[in-house]
Amino acid sequence: MTMKTTTSTRNGFMRRAYDRMVEARSVQARRYVNGYLLSLDDATLAAHGYDREELEREGSTTTGF
């Protein structure tokens, strides 16, 4: 019983660590894409369903991964 609990805890830790890493990379990718989208003019953004104010609120970065 103890061995099963230890394995379960270790797997839970690894899963949480992986999920947090994926989430962090997703946020980083969104900011990178937002940086590019903010370089477009307002008409192009509107044509593709984006709002400049919302993109600015979400943040951006100009550096790569």
Side-chain angles (χ1 to χ4, degrees), residues 38-64:
L38 287 170
S39 72
L40 301 175
D41 63 305
D42 290 337
T44 304
L45 287 175
H48 293 285
Y50 292 103
D51 180 34
R52 181 173 299 280
E53 291 176 6
E54 184 177 337
L55 292 172
E56 288 172 346
R57 236 176 305 147
E58 290 175 3
S60 67
T61 183
T62 56
T63 59

Side-chain angles (χ1 to χ4, degrees), residues 12-26:
F13 169 78
M14 294 300 291
R15 183 65 187 176
R16 282 191 310 273
Y18 178 77
D19 288 343
R20 288 177 181 162
M21 183 184 67
V22 168
E23 179 61 27
R25 294 292 285 173
S26 296

Side-chain angles (χ1 to χ4, degrees), residues 2 11 32 38 52:
T2 303
N11 288 339
Y32 182 78
L38 287 170
R52 181 173 299 280

